[in-house]
Amino acid sequence: MAYIYEEPSRTFSEFLLVPGYSGTDSTPANVSLRCPLVKFRRGEEAAIHMNIPLTSAIMQAVSDDKMAVALAKEGGVSFIYGSQTIEEEAAMIARAKSYKAGFVTSDSNAAPTDTLNDILALKEKTEHSTVAVTSDGTPHGKLLGIITSRDYRVSRMSGDEQVTSFMTPIEKLITAPANTSLHDANDIIWDNKLNALPIIADDGRLLYIVFRKDYDSHKENPLELLDEHKKYIVGAGVNTRDYKERIPALISAGADVLCIDSSEGYSEWQKLVLDWVRETYGDAVKIGAGNVVDAEGFRFLADCGADFVKVGIGGGSICITREQKGIGRGQATAVIEVARARDEYFEETGVYVPICSDGGIVHDYHFTLALAMGADFLMLGRYFARFDEAPNSRVSVGGSYMKEYWGEGSARARNWQRYDLGGAGKLTFEEGVDSYVPYAGSMKDNLALTLGKVRSTMCNCGALTVPELQKKARLTLVSSTSIVEGGAHDVVLKENTLK
């Protein structure tokens, strides 16, 4: 008969942290969330660290070049989704690596043959009112003019008018040359009372747009994650099918770290990828693997040369793998066992292989629990999908704003490579759903609140670093009645009396 674990499979919500001694220095301002992203040997430093222990999931609805820049500004790493063509993923990486703070590549562009109806449709899609009219309708074509909401009145126009008839032409625009600094660009904006300043190459091509509204956001981010060339660190997802073509293209585009995107990592498919990377690049290319849920799976991937290992199967909010296949494990139990295996592996080999908790995060306090249980960093999908920086669409549902969120195993994503077991190149059944998540606005403010809670909780445990938290933290299982006790109870909430 099958081997049966004696202990049940547990989730984060079944645990609480027990407070520890807090000294006078235990204040959130003193807490460091710095963590290793890739493996290192005893006595050495990891080649890549993060300043916050967060990565964004390798998902179409979560991680593109915009998210990569936004998260790197905060100190984390985004893994751009791989369920697209090699050329498209490489282009996203190149855009993120070439990003200059304050200089925005236009994502709302029109060709001279487009009409007002095209502009209105584009505005609804991008939610941006400034549209660049270029010779070929691309972000870097020759600039012909700019369109803002002040250039047209829908009620007085038919919609068939070509953009050249109502745009503000280049001759009437104030522009700046390619060598303009951000400081000078902002001076031009303020001196001329502009909302946007196009940055133009010598041959007339549009390079960037500097926006007045972004002025305050250009202040230095103290935790931003940069490489040795002062460019943002960017991650990318790869699969076990076209890796021999995809990986060289992503590395050439500037990817700093890769991750094999798979629902189940304890397989020969991942070994083949890791073997090829080491034979081709040695240790120069950093690549994580996964996902696994036990010590055996971790040790397999660590021995294969993974730079980090992702933990979690079936715990994502849009994942139905457990429901469909009966495969998986409670995220808390998985993280605890794999963390022990990581520590044992470090003692035996002197190589520390970081682990990433992927899935199962519902509440902000789960972040701290996952770190205390041994995770070096987390990978989040639903959390980041709620924000403006995610590439998914914002829609109104029942009078409330939502953002679309779908799993890579859903029919919408059609990411069969992630669930590939060597069969036909298609999804035979769904392992993810298509859904909505409540819209939450900008990432920066929300992330600051979440990490504020993490730092405060660490102080309650008397810990100022993640390794110190893992050493000092004490966890207790909770009963169903203590979960009820933990929320508001035995009172009538004021909001209920107003209904």
Side-chain angles (χ1 to χ4, degrees), residues 19 83 106 136 198 282 312 325-326 340 362 372 397 416 462 474:
S83 52
S106 176
D136 55 5
K325 297 167 63 175
R340 287 184 181 136
V362 180
V397 179
W416 62 270
R474 295 176 297 162

Side-chain angles (χ1 to χ4, degrees), residues 50-160:
M50 294 189 293
N51 292 324
I52 61 172
L54 302 181
T55 61
S56 65
I58 311 170
M59 300 176 69
Q60 296 173 9
V62 180
S63 299
D64 65 350
D65 49 302
K66 185 177 179 181
M67 176 61 75
V69 170
L71 189 50
K73 285 181 179 180
E74 302 301 322
V77 171
S78 182
F79 284 87
I80 292 175
Y81 68 92
S83 52
Q84 57 181 323
T85 67
I86 295 173
E87 293 75 19
E88 289 170 336
E89 187 178 9
M92 283 189 180
I93 292 168
R95 286 197 297 269
K97 293 300 290 186
S98 63
Y99 179 87
K100 294 167 63 180
F103 292 84
V104 179
T105 298
S106 176
D107 64 356
S108 295
N109 307 286
T113 55
D114 288 343
T115 66
L116 174 60
N117 285 331
D118 295 323
I119 298 300
L120 297 177
L122 182 62
K123 181 179 178 181
E124 183 176 356
K125 178 182 177 181
T126 65
E127 299 179 0
H128 295 157
S129 59
T130 300
V131 178
V133 180
T134 61
S135 56
D136 55 5
T138 66
H140 299 301
K142 184 176 181 180
L143 184 65
L144 303 179
I146 292 287
I147 297 173
T148 70
S149 56
R150 294 177 298 181
D151 291 313
Y152 57 85
R153 292 189 66 177
V154 177
S155 61
R156 295 188 179 184
M157 300 171 72
S158 67
D160 295 327

Side-chain angles (χ1 to χ4, degrees), residues 181-230:
S181 68
L182 181 59
H183 179 273
D184 290 343
N186 282 316
D187 282 345
I188 295 171
I189 287 173
W190 285 95
D191 291 344
N192 294 277
K193 299 181 179 180
L194 304 176
N195 288 321
L197 175 68
I199 306 298
I200 308 297
D202 292 339
D203 58 2
R205 290 182 301 107
L206 175 64
L207 299 177
Y208 307 102
I209 300 178
V210 179
F211 289 93
R212 181 189 187 97
K213 64 182 178 61
D214 291 337
Y215 177 76
D216 290 336
S217 67
H218 299 332
K219 297 176 181 177
E220 184 178 359
N221 296 286
L223 296 179
E224 65 182 355
L225 200 60
L226 304 172
D227 63 18
E228 65 273 18
H229 303 294
K230 303 300 181 182

Side-chain angles (χ1 to χ4, degrees), residues 361-376:
I361 298 292
V362 180
H363 306 291
D364 285 352
Y365 78 90
H366 288 172
F367 286 56
T368 321
L369 283 172
L371 295 173
M373 290 173 182
D376 293 281

Side-chain angles (χ1 to χ4, degrees), residues 5 17 198 276 337 341 448:
Y5 289 88
L17 283 157
W276 182 84
E337 179 173 328

Side-chain angles (χ1 to χ4, degrees), residues 23 74 157 168 180 227 257 261 263 285 327 330 356 398 476 495 498:
E74 302 301 322
M157 300 171 72
T168 301
T180 304
D227 63 18
V257 57
D261 182 28
S263 63
V285 168
I327 290 288
C356 167
T476 181
E495 61 184 38
L498 298 176

